[in-house]
Amino acid sequence: MTRNEEEEEEDVTKSPGFRREKQIDRQRREEKRREEESGGGARKERGAEGEGKGKDAHGHGVGGDDHKSSFMQSTFNMANILMGVGMLGLPYVLKSAGWIGGTITTIGFCLVTWRTSYYLGRELNGDPRPVSLFDNHTPSKTQTPDSKTSNGSHSAANPDTHILQRMRKPITSFPGIAREAFGDNGCICLSAVLYFELFSCLSIFFVSLGDHLHALFPSISQSKHMTIAAGVLIVPSAVLRTPKLLSYLSAVGTIATVAVVSAVVLSALVMFLLVAKAEHDFVGGDVEVVGGNERDFTLYSSKGLPLALGIVAYCFSGHAIVPSIYSSMARPQDFERMINVTYGMVLACCLLVGISGYYMFGNDVEDQITLSLEHQSENGNTLMTMLTWLMILTAMSKFTLTMFPLALGFEEMLTGILPSDLAMELIDSLVKIILIVLSLAVAIFFPSFSFLCSLVGLICTMIVSVIFPAMAHLKLFGSELSMLDKIIDWLLVVGGSIVAVVGTIATVQADA
């Protein structure tokens, strides 16, 4: 085992929940290495021509990267993570903070997390400069330009050629960044926040399930709906144990996202046309009336800013998955361009959903826009009923997807203690049942979608997506950063901390 592999093994043993994935990666590398050794003679005969076909202009393997993600696939995966159930609450953001406050909050927090996504990519790359300047074969300062690469060749052929070196060695995981910057204690603290966020998301999915089921079957209470859903979710949570099986569930979330955005925007467009026609036919009428309901709007409200900011923060929570997407890219140097495209699309969709939903319902909008659409629709409206059922399936699929890494983390903590694989499977099922019961209890005690989303956003997302990336950026690259970069980082750290504390207190007091 090489030195790098030993360091990676040590990193894995200290990162609960990541050992199984790392073992699969090592098996793939071993298989690839054996294939290369068995075909070494043929490659030598092909010479430079074969080597040119095997790699692109940046030195990345083409034939060996079949399991890697292309630029479009990485963009799709990142957008799918960001556009989750939090998007349903964006019209409620405008209700809470008004047209001006809600729009500025959405755009502002998007720009902040946009920048911190850059930070994570550069921290994974091991250098504060843009990722596009580097490729997989760029040495770090711990590797001299004359040192041999993995295939035995020297990395520098011309001493007069300037070689761009990374400041640090690349990092492969989110806990790895925390450990490199703040040691083992920092890694433990970050892992605790991540697991708390995952557990809180389970409760949010329960609330969403209860709300949508209650909209379809109002004779049954929301808490009973959540309890029934908990019993149903035990089966998929216990059966779907591998990432390959779980990956099929992500398609449901993708379809639901497209359906929600399309339904909200098209409904708002139809309403706008009806209002325009009504105002044209009834000259002098200054009250907006559609379907007999007056709509009231708020221009700005400082009182609802904390709740609005928390919901927006929850909507843009996805930084914990950034290292996985970065590592899966066939061309990691395109990471920042991928982030630009992704955040541009996500921001456009968020503004469309938020503005369209608030325009349709005004201050009567509910904390999930799909509920308002369902209540507005006539009895027996098939399309709205299908959309509601789709959101129910989405919440169930995301519940199972979120349960997997959370349960896997507890399972890895017990590795080496349990005597057999059978005992591990039994404990795994028991852990999932306990998590389902606990998250159900939280959902029944706090049955408010907007309140839970806001708390998770203000506490967890502020730490994971704003404070931590900026702090790690300062800690890892402080000596190489300009004064402006340091000021921006400190503003993110201090400002994010103040917003998290003050916003959480204000949200709890407002809900009390």
Side-chain angles (χ1 to χ4, degrees), residues 377-496:
S377 64
E378 299 177 357
N379 292 331
N381 190 316
T382 305
L383 291 178
M384 288 299 103
T385 301
M386 290 176 59
L387 180 62
T388 304
W389 275 111
L390 184 58
M391 294 312 304
I392 292 172
L393 292 176
T394 301
M396 296 182 71
S397 65
K398 289 185 177 294
F399 184 97
T400 307
L401 287 168
T402 306
M403 172 68 74
F404 180 78
L406 183 60
L408 183 62
F410 287 104
E411 178 183 335
E412 294 295 341
M413 293 178 186
L414 300 175
T415 300
I417 301 177
L418 299 176
S420 64
D421 292 339
L422 178 60
M424 178 62 73
E425 291 183 2
L426 293 176
I427 291 297
D428 177 69
S429 299
L430 180 61
V431 166
K432 289 179 178 178
I433 293 175
I434 293 175
L435 290 174
I436 289 175
V437 173
L438 291 178
S439 57
L440 173 63
V442 173
I444 293 176
F445 193 72
F446 299 104
S448 173
F449 180 84
S450 57
F451 177 73
L452 288 178
C453 286
S454 184
L455 281 187
V456 175
L458 289 169
I459 299 174
C460 300
T461 305
M462 277 295 176
I463 295 175
V464 175
S465 300
V466 179
I467 300 173
F468 169 75
M471 287 183 64
H473 193 249
L474 277 171
K475 182 69 174 179
L476 294 174
F477 311 125
S479 60
E480 301 292 330
L481 297 177
S482 65
M483 182 58 64
L484 178 60
D485 288 333
K486 292 181 180 179
I487 292 175
I488 294 175
D489 287 348
W490 277 113
L491 286 176
L492 292 175
V493 173
V494 177

Side-chain angles (χ1 to χ4, degrees), residues 207-222 225 366 368 370-377 379 384-385 388-389 392:
V207 174
S208 182
L209 281 169
D211 289 339
H212 286 91
L213 286 170
H214 182 67
L216 293 175
F217 308 101
S219 60
I220 303 177
S221 66
Q222 183 195 26
H225 278 304
E366 300 193 40
Q368 298 175 78
T370 47
L371 297 178
S372 296
L373 290 173
E374 172 65 23
H375 293 158
Q376 183 207 41
S377 64
N379 292 331
M384 288 299 103
T385 301
T388 304
W389 275 111
I392 292 172

Side-chain angles (χ1 to χ4, degrees), residues 198-434:
L198 291 174
F199 176 80
S200 302
C201 288
L202 297 182
S203 299
I204 292 175
F205 296 142
F206 268 133
V207 174
S208 182
L209 281 169
D211 289 339
H212 286 91
L213 286 170
H214 182 67
L216 293 175
F217 308 101
S219 60
I220 303 177
S221 66
Q222 183 195 26
S223 59
K224 288 184 179 179
H225 278 304
M226 289 190 289
T227 305
I228 295 172
V232 174
L233 284 168
I234 291 178
V235 177
S237 299
V239 172
L240 300 176
R241 295 177 178 271
T242 64
K244 183 177 180 180
L245 293 175
L246 289 168
S247 64
Y248 295 110
L249 294 177
S250 63
V252 178
T254 304
I255 296 172
T257 300
V258 175
V260 169
V261 174
S262 302
V264 174
V265 174
L266 290 177
S267 298
L269 181 60
V270 170
M271 179 174 288
F272 176 79
L273 295 176
L274 291 175
V275 170
K277 185 177 184 300
E279 290 179 349
H280 180 270
D281 295 340
F282 184 69
V283 180
D286 56 354
V287 178
E288 298 178 347
V289 179
V290 176
N293 295 322
E294 296 183 4
R295 293 172 296 144
D296 297 325
F297 299 101
T298 302
L299 186 63
Y300 177 78
S301 174
S302 59
K303 184 179 180 181
L305 275 177
L307 180 67
L309 181 58
I311 296 175
V312 172
Y314 178 75
C315 186
F316 285 97
S317 61
H319 282 50
I321 313 297
V322 167
S324 299
I325 294 178
Y326 178 89
S327 302
S328 69
M329 294 184 69
R331 288 172 48 84
Q333 61 266 42
D334 291 336
F335 172 79
E336 292 180 5
R337 186 163 65 93
M338 181 272 293
I339 290 295
N340 292 338
V341 175
T342 300
Y343 269 85
M345 293 191 307
V346 171
L347 177 60
C349 291
C350 288
L351 291 177
L352 281 174
V353 172
I355 293 174
S356 299
Y358 189 52
Y359 171 78
M360 282 189 292
F361 302 102
N363 291 334
D364 292 329
V365 69
E366 300 193 40
D367 57 3
Q368 298 175 78
I369 184 59
T370 47
L371 297 178
S372 296
L373 290 173
E374 172 65 23
H375 293 158
Q376 183 207 41
S377 64
E378 299 177 357
N379 292 331
N381 190 316
T382 305
L383 291 178
M384 288 299 103
T385 301
M386 290 176 59
L387 180 62
T388 304
W389 275 111
L390 184 58
M391 294 312 304
I392 292 172
L393 292 176
T394 301
M396 296 182 71
S397 65
K398 289 185 177 294
F399 184 97
T400 307
L401 287 168
T402 306
M403 172 68 74
F404 180 78
L406 183 60
L408 183 62
F410 287 104
E411 178 183 335
E412 294 295 341
M413 293 178 186
L414 300 175
T415 300
I417 301 177
L418 299 176
S420 64
D421 292 339
L422 178 60
M424 178 62 73
E425 291 183 2
L426 293 176
I427 291 297
D428 177 69
S429 299
L430 180 61
V431 166
K432 289 179 178 178
I433 293 175
I434 293 175

Side-chain angles (χ1 to χ4, degrees), residues 132-150:
S132 58
L133 300 177
F134 301 85
D135 59 39
N136 287 344
H137 302 285
T138 302
S140 61
K141 285 188 176 181
T142 57
Q143 178 184 0
T144 61
D146 291 331
S147 62
K148 291 185 178 181
T149 59
S150 59

Side-chain angles (χ1 to χ4, degrees), residues 36-48:
E36 290 177 349
E37 291 175 354
S38 62
R43 281 196 304 274
K44 290 181 180 179
E45 292 177 0
R46 286 195 299 268

